[in-house]
């Protein structure tokens, strides 16, 4: 099992486990009135998934673009749901800022003169905040993101196995 | 890491791509002594690996949804589980 230099799997695992279990306890306590309606069931599923992603993003210690981007995305999504008609300016302003920085980085992509721009673009869609990263950051952030994803999957599996007796 | 300039050197690029390659289980499967995979292959495999992992998170969220009501989470569970995970 490769032991990465920048990521300490031991403490990341324990931080994520603690946070995620805490979130699950809260979700479990939120008993809906009609727990059998498909809407309620889906909402609960969404809450669990968001809790998993949020817990992981918060558990990241080092300064990472992807985790910040993920938290920003989750936060702005919840704002939009609460205020569907207001068209929050802060969300739009943030989008404008992100568009601007990605324009600054398109020159990087063209200057690279490498033959894998398409694949890099596809990767940008998958890594949170990828659209704003230059190639160097993208590759670095991707490696860290993958390590965190595998940790997330491993812990969630353990938890599901543990509680499904 | 190139901070001042936007250009990335070939060496830096190769190092980053190689590192990514080591993280991909499918890629290293049965690669005994053959030439190292191309950058395009590594990036493509990276994308499909990430998609696979993200789907696993979705599926596991659904599993947890099913057993959530029967979950009796105590305060010592986090520590116990972390120890289990360390092994």
């Amino acid at each position: 099992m490769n032991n990465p230099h920048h990521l300490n799997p031991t403490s990341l695992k324990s931080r994520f486990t603690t946070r995620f279990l805490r979130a699950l306890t809260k979700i479990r306590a939120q008993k809906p009135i009609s727990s059998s309606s498909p809407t309620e069931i889906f909402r609960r599923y969404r809450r669990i998934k968001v809790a998993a992603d949020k817990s992981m993003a918060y558990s990241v210690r080092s300064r990472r673009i992807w985790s910040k981007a993920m938290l920003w995305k989750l936060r702005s999504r919840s704002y939009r749901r609460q205020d569907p008609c207001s068209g929050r300016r802060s969300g739009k302003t943030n989008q404008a800022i992100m568009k601007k920085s990605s324009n600054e980085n398109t020159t990087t992509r063209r200057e690279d003169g490498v033959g894998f721009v398409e694949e890099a673009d596809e990767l940008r869609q998958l890594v949170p905040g990828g659209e704003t990263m230059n190639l160097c950051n993208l590759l670095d952030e991707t490696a860290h993101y993958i390590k965190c994803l595998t940790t997330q999957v491993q812990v969630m599996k353990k938890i599901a196995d543990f509680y499904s007796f | 890491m190139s901070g001042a300039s936007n250009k990335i050197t070939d060496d830096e690029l190769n190092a980053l791509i190689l590192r990514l390659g080591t993280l991909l289980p499918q890629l290293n499967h049965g690669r005994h002594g053959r030439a190292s995979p191309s950058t395009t292959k590594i990036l493509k495999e990276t994308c499909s690996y990430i998609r696979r992992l993200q789907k696993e998170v979705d599926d596991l969220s659904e599993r947890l949804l099913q057993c959530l009501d029967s979950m009796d989470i105590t305060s010592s569970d986090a520590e116990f589980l972390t120890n289990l995970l360390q092994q």
Side-chain angles (χ1 to χ4, degrees):
Chain A
M1 179 81 188
N2 60 330
N3 232 329
H5 313 287
H6 306 295
L7 191 80
N8 186 343
T10 315
S11 48
L12 176 75
K13 263 183 220 172
S14 72
R15 286 196 300 271
F16 173 65
T17 307
T18 310
R19 274 209 165 87
F20 187 46
L21 282 179
R22 204 181 299 150
L24 284 176
T25 312
K26 281 200 189 119
I27 296 171
R28 181 172 170 241
Q30 296 163 358
K31 257 284 185 178
I33 309 149
S34 59
S35 47
S36 54
S37 87
T39 321
E40 272 308 320
I41 293 172
F42 182 72
R43 274 209 191 116
R44 243 187 176 200
Y45 161 76
R46 283 291 318 167
R47 266 184 222 131
I48 293 173
K49 167 124 179 33
V50 165
D53 288 341
K54 239 187 199 171
S55 302
M56 180 46 82
Y58 272 123
S59 300
V60 169
R61 275 281 164 82
S62 50
R63 303 186 60 189
R64 284 290 164 183
I65 302 176
W66 74 262
S67 54
K68 290 204 186 96
M70 175 171 284
L71 289 173
W72 179 85
K73 187 168 49 165
L74 290 172
R75 240 173 256 145
S76 63
R77 186 184 293 165
S78 75
Y79 284 158
R80 251 181 269 134
R81 275 202 292 121
Q82 284 165 28
D83 247 330
C85 314
S86 80
R88 298 199 127 240
R89 190 139 15 111
S90 54
K92 286 196 180 138
T93 315
N94 279 334
Q95 269 180 40
I97 293 172
M98 286 181 98
K99 273 222 173 80
K100 187 181 173 210
S101 52
S102 74
N103 280 336
E104 287 166 3
N105 284 313
T106 46
T107 40
T108 310
R109 276 151 60 196
R110 273 186 250 125
E111 276 170 13
D112 289 334
V114 288
F116 49 82
V117 173
E118 255 187 65
E119 286 79 10
D121 280 348
E122 200 191 335
L123 187 57
R124 277 195 173 86
Q125 300 299 313
L126 290 169
V127 177
E131 306 89 356
T132 68
M133 296 175 199
N134 63 34
L135 186 60
C136 182
N137 281 336
L138 178 66
L139 296 173
D140 187 51
E141 291 278 324
T142 301
H144 189 267
Y145 181 53
I146 286 181
K147 288 171 196 167
C148 291
L149 270 177
T150 53
T151 301
Q152 187 179 6
V153 165
Q154 188 189 8
V155 173
M156 287 176 82
K157 256 197 202 130
K158 224 10 169 236
I159 293 177
D161 289 341
F162 184 69
Y163 289 106
S164 46
F165 278 87
Chain B
M1 211 83 75
S2 41
S5 77
N6 269 335
K7 284 212 180 203
I8 172 177
T9 70
D10 278 349
D11 283 342
E12 282 175 349
L13 185 63
N14 285 330
L16 287 167
I17 297 283
L18 272 176
R19 179 169 65 142
L20 262 186
T22 63
L23 298 173
L24 308 172
Q26 297 290 81
L27 209 67
N28 302 314
H29 207 46
R31 270 226 149 251
H32 314 291
R34 270 183 245 157
S36 48
S38 70
T39 298
T40 316
K41 182 100 173 73
I42 290 181
L43 286 178
K44 274 202 175 125
E45 190 50 47
T46 303
C47 288
S48 67
Y49 189 42
I50 291 180
R51 281 205 189 89
R52 209 154 59 235
L53 289 169
Q54 288 173 340
K55 175 143 200 316
E56 276 205 73
V57 171
D58 289 349
D59 293 343
L60 284 164
S61 300
E62 211 184 321
R63 250 189 90 189
L64 288 169
L65 172 72
Q66 304 301 328
C67 66
L68 186 65
D69 285 329
S70 58
M71 278 168 79
D72 182 22
I73 309 171
T74 64
S75 47
S76 54
D77 284 353
E79 202 186 325
F80 179 69
L81 278 164
T82 311
N83 286 331
L84 269 185
L85 286 156
Q86 240 92 288
Q87 288 154 19

